[in-house]
Amino acid sequence: MKVLIVKTSSMGDVIHTFPAIEDAVRNRLDVSFDWCVEEPFAGIVALHPAIGVIHKVVIRRWRKRLFGGQTWREMASLRRALRAGNYDLVIDAQGLLKSALVAIQAGAPIAGFDRASAREPSATLFYQRKYAVPRDLHAIERTRRLFGLALGYQPDLSALNSGIVPPAGGLAGIEGKTAFLLHGTSRADKKWPVEDWIETARRLADRQFTPVATWSNEAENKVAEAIAGAVPGTVLVAKSPLADIAAILGRSTLVIGADTGLTHLASAFGLPTVAIFLATEPGLTGPRGPFASTLLAPAGGRVTPAEVMAEVERMLALRSNAPA
């Protein structure tokens, strides 16, 4: 049975789908999976060994140039590729109108959330198989239940495994413990103050950790340079392809991150991960993993470096005491 997964974005949403694939691989040995995803996240999808063909879309660019000839050629090429896949089933794991419009291009039956469960009820107009999944569950559990209903098995929700390993690579010439500081995030109200990152990096250095920081734009570069300038020994990783960052991240001793996709990736790798949520509620979409923890700022309050380091110690202790 050939199944096409449609979950085009964001990075966190893509990562939240991996445990559902692990369930399916264990319960349905006859099923193979391809995936349709936004081009920037294709490298993340490729981390899972059960995924075959990865179809790439660039929906944001297509929307901006909807009447351009190149856009129509690219969309026609996608349609041909999806039809050539001869899929038995498409699972729209996103539940949005845009994902449903992508899913119908495959010309196969579409399974998805029912009207009460989908993020955008209008998407369900295009589904042939609709399943009720409570909306008050974490995104990982919702997706696992959807896959189980669509493919005919009961997922074991007591276990959580993403099934991914870091790509080859990592930091050369760095020995000892490393702490990746994921300070960059898309919204200003999600950003932890630079002075708190600096203080945390100092405390990590005192614990014989090498702080590691990277950046993807000029604003983030300034923060990374400020951390490195204040804390000698901090390693700055230049703006790099996502696969290279994933390789470094996956070989870190621990990760401290803002509400960003790479923090979800760290938890999916099973790393000791402390997430700092300042303006968003982590309950339904926060990082999940065996050694992942989220600190949520109280209304009108803040998360302090001391609180972060206390949680770091707790996660490291959990990891050291876990069975091999």
Side-chain angles (χ1 to χ4, degrees), residues 92 95-100 113 115 118 120-127:
D92 180 0
L96 299 177
L97 183 58
K98 70 173 184 179
S99 57
F113 299 107
R115 187 172 182 83
E120 292 182 357
S122 58
T124 66
L125 296 172
F126 300 94
Y127 302 162

Side-chain angles (χ1 to χ4, degrees), residues 16-323:
H16 286 159
T17 307
F18 289 147
I21 298 169
E22 282 296 288
D23 293 336
V25 168
R26 287 194 297 270
N27 288 278
R28 289 292 305 268
L29 300 179
D30 61 317
V31 175
S32 64
F33 290 103
D34 294 347
W35 195 317
C36 191
V37 68
E38 285 278 357
E39 188 174 59
F41 307 125
I44 298 298
V45 170
L47 293 175
H48 201 290
I51 303 303
V53 177
I54 301 173
H55 301 280
K56 303 171 187 176
V57 296
V58 283
I59 294 174
R60 290 182 182 177
R61 175 159 60 78
W62 289 347
R63 282 176 173 170
K64 292 178 181 178
R65 305 174 186 174
L66 187 57
F67 299 105
Q70 181 65 24
T71 296
W72 285 93
R73 286 190 292 272
E74 289 175 354
M75 290 193 297
S77 177
L78 172 68
R79 180 183 176 86
R80 288 193 298 271
L82 294 182
R83 291 294 174 107
N86 294 315
Y87 295 108
D88 299 297
L89 181 68
V90 180
I91 299 179
D92 180 0
Q94 199 151 18
L96 299 177
L97 183 58
K98 70 173 184 179
S99 57
L101 292 175
V102 170
I104 62 175
Q105 305 307 312
I110 304 171
F113 299 107
D114 71 3
R115 187 172 182 83
S117 308
R119 290 166 61 188
E120 292 182 357
S122 58
T124 66
L125 296 172
F126 300 94
Y127 302 162
Q128 287 73 49
R129 305 176 190 178
K130 307 171 189 181
Y131 301 102
V133 179
R135 295 193 64 171
D136 60 350
L137 301 175
H138 191 279
I140 291 175
E141 185 174 342
R142 274 172 49 83
T143 307
R144 295 178 73 181
R145 291 191 181 199
L146 173 63
F147 273 57
L149 291 166
L151 296 175
Y153 61 84
Q154 180 67 41
D156 178 9
L157 299 176
S158 66
L160 179 63
N161 183 11
S162 294
I164 60 173
V165 296
L171 284 172
I174 303 296
E175 298 182 358
K177 302 177 295 185
T178 59
F180 211 130
L181 308 182
L182 299 173
H183 58 86
T185 187
S186 57
R187 283 169 35 187
D189 59 352
K190 293 181 180 182
K191 296 181 184 295
W192 206 34
V194 62
E195 57 268 22
D196 288 339
W197 284 112
I198 290 172
E199 176 60 23
T200 300
R202 286 193 178 116
R203 292 176 180 236
L204 288 165
D206 289 343
R207 288 268 280 102
Q208 307 305 310
F209 281 89
T210 298
V212 179
T214 190
W215 53 277
S216 61
N217 55 48
E218 286 307 312
E220 292 177 7
N221 188 25
K222 290 180 180 178
V223 174
E225 289 184 343
I227 296 170
V231 184
T234 298
V235 174
L236 277 186
V237 178
K239 183 178 180 180
S240 305
L242 190 53
D244 293 347
I245 298 299
I248 298 169
L249 182 75
R251 288 164 179 79
S252 300
T253 309
L254 71 95
V255 176
I256 302 171
D259 178 7
T260 184
L262 287 172
T263 305
H264 292 279
L265 184 59
S267 64
F269 281 146
L271 299 171
T273 304
V274 177
I276 303 166
F277 275 58
L278 303 180
T280 46
E281 170 56 53
L284 302 182
T285 58
R288 288 284 180 89
F291 312 110
S293 174
T294 300
L295 294 175
L296 175 63
R302 59 190 289 259
V303 175
T304 68
E307 291 171 328
V308 169
M309 289 303 299
E311 201 63 10
V312 162
E313 298 291 353
R314 191 171 75 85
M315 291 299 103
L316 290 173
L318 278 178
R319 183 67 184 89
S320 65
N321 293 326

